[in-house]
Amino acid sequence: MRAARLIRMALLVQSSPGLTADALARELDVSRRTVIRDAQALQEAGVPIRSERGRAGGYHLAPGHRTRLTTLHPTEAETLYLSGLPTVLRDLGLSDAADTARLKLSATLLPSLRAAAESSVRRFHLDAPAWFREPSAPELLPELARAVWSDRTVELDYARPGRDGAPPRTVTRLLEPYGLVLKAGVWYVVGRLPAERTTGRDGVWRTYRVDRVTALAPAPGAGEPFVRDPSFDLAAHWQAHSAGFARALLRTTVTVRLTGPGLRRLPAVADPAGVAVALASASATAPDAAGRVTLDLPVESEDVAFGQLTGLGADAEVLAPASLRARFREHARALAAVYSAGPQDQP
């Protein structure tokens, strides 16, 4: 609605003086022309907003003017208490600060709004970790979070997964940590390699799993905070790059022959990004006379593939690589040895 948009525009100009018409248009998801019309409407309503030209131009409020549009609507108060996840705040070491902030906020709300905010806590609980996974915060997460808050360049050791069953190898990187993302119970840090360490002018963006960071320290000689790119939007960056990042983790390919039930169950055990690539690939064959399909499945490693495909039992047959096929053969022999004897023969 236009009224809500006008209020938001006034608050944006108050909190961030100097926003241009183009910047406001992006924030409000409207055209530049609409921003200009809305500014005129605010002026006619008595809000002293003006546009200034030049290097320090943009939209400003008259000096000393503060809007009186900060009263919370009950729905806003309700959603405000849903803006954080209890487990996330605990993992980041911020649960005490969050509790104190909620108490302070509750003390400033009118009784009716306080009841609305508390009702959302009683009705909704956000549980981020995936099912059947014991949630555990990476040991270095709080320290990394402090670096994110303070814009401090860090030096980290990262256990990079090996290819084709090879063990992980540790690499050391300088990183400007821009933000942390929690995806299905797994923490990731998004950051930029400093420009002097890359061939690009503005540095290169990287995403790392926090639980694979084995050591963390302030970057040598980094006394001052790094200068953040003001145009960086963490949510937009993650949305644009998360699919590519997931595919980049799939460093190994296994050839597997699946029965019809195995193919239907494959998305439940394997990485969704890998399954999507496999099904769309030209390597996927048409069902044979027995209804089996052969495809090349991207996986993170042979170890991961073994754990995933074991869950499909006889509905999946690994054809390549030979090392993984041999591992399944030994696994089958071990199972046969266990089940060839009756329960009474077991010690």
Side-chain angles (χ1 to χ4, degrees):
M1 296 177 63
R2 190 186 185 203
R5 189 177 71 240
L6 290 173
I7 292 174
R8 189 177 175 202
M9 179 175 173
L11 292 174
L12 282 170
V13 173
Q14 176 175 295
S15 60
S16 303
L19 287 174
T20 64
D22 290 335
L24 285 168
R26 288 192 297 270
E27 288 287 341
L28 300 171
D29 195 22
V30 296
S31 67
R32 188 174 188 275
R33 182 173 304 213
T34 298
V35 168
I36 295 172
R37 286 200 302 263
D38 285 353
Q40 183 177 354
L42 285 171
Q43 291 172 344
E44 294 172 353
V47 178
I49 185 173
R50 64 178 186 270
S51 176
E52 298 180 0
R53 298 180 180 275
R55 190 181 188 88
Y59 282 93
H60 297 263
L61 295 178
H65 180 83
R66 303 285 293 178
T67 70
R68 300 291 188 266
L69 303 174
T70 54
T71 301
L72 288 175
H73 184 275
T75 303
E76 295 169 336
E78 291 169 353
T79 56
L80 185 61
Y81 274 69
L82 292 177
S83 60
L85 299 169
T87 53
V88 172
L89 295 170
R90 181 195 63 217
D91 292 349
L92 294 173
L94 298 173
S95 55
D96 290 343
D99 289 342
T100 301
R102 278 192 290 269
L103 287 173
K104 289 181 177 179
L105 177 61
S106 294
T108 65
L109 295 176
L110 295 173
S112 59
L113 293 180
R114 192 178 308 133
E118 292 171 354
S119 71
S120 67
V121 177
R122 292 193 295 268
R123 287 171 169 79
F124 299 97
H125 175 69
L126 306 179
D127 187 9
W131 285 104
F132 312 118
R133 175 181 294 167
E134 185 66 26
S136 60
E139 181 181 355
L140 296 174
L141 177 62
E143 186 177 348
L144 190 54
R146 287 192 289 271
V148 170
W149 278 113
S150 58
D151 295 338
R152 296 288 179 177
T153 305
V154 297
E155 182 179 76
L156 57 83
D157 290 344
Y158 186 75
R160 173 179 289 175
R163 293 179 180 271
D164 300 326
R169 65 184 183 91
T170 299
V171 296
T172 300
R173 293 286 184 267
L174 287 181
L175 185 72
E176 297 172 348
Y178 268 63
L180 290 163
V181 176
L182 180 63
K183 172 70 172 178
V186 180
W187 283 98
Y188 298 88
V189 58
V190 177
R192 187 171 62 176
L193 304 182
E196 60 267 24
R197 290 287 299 271
T198 68
T199 58
R201 178 181 177 185
D202 297 324
V204 176
W205 294 100
R206 289 288 184 264
T207 300
Y208 299 106
R209 279 184 59 148
V210 178
D211 58 2
R212 291 179 180 161
V213 176
T214 58
L216 185 70
E224 297 295 325
F226 64 84
V227 179
R228 293 180 68 94
D229 180 349
S231 66
F232 179 77
D233 184 315
L234 179 61
H237 176 89
W238 179 262
Q239 183 177 6
H241 294 83
S242 57
F245 173 69
R247 288 192 296 270
L249 292 176
L250 307 176
R251 298 168 173 266
T252 301
T253 299
V254 302
T255 303
V256 59
R257 184 157 53 205
L258 300 159
T259 65
L263 184 62
R264 289 192 295 272
R265 291 167 52 204
L266 183 63
V269 300
D271 188 283
V275 174
V277 171
L279 294 177
S281 172
S283 66
T285 66
D288 61 15
R292 298 175 302 179
V293 172
T294 300
L295 49 79
D296 293 333
L297 177 67
V299 294
E300 189 170 343
S301 67
E302 287 190 21
D303 283 342
V304 172
F306 179 78
Q308 293 173 340
L309 297 177
T310 298
L312 296 181
D315 287 319
E317 178 189 2
V318 171
L319 304 179
S323 56
L324 184 59
R325 182 175 175 84
R327 186 171 177 178
F328 270 96
R329 186 183 303 116
E330 291 301 317
H331 179 65
R333 288 172 179 165
L335 282 177
V338 169
Y339 286 100
S340 61
Q344 66 276 9
D345 298 327
Q346 299 298 322

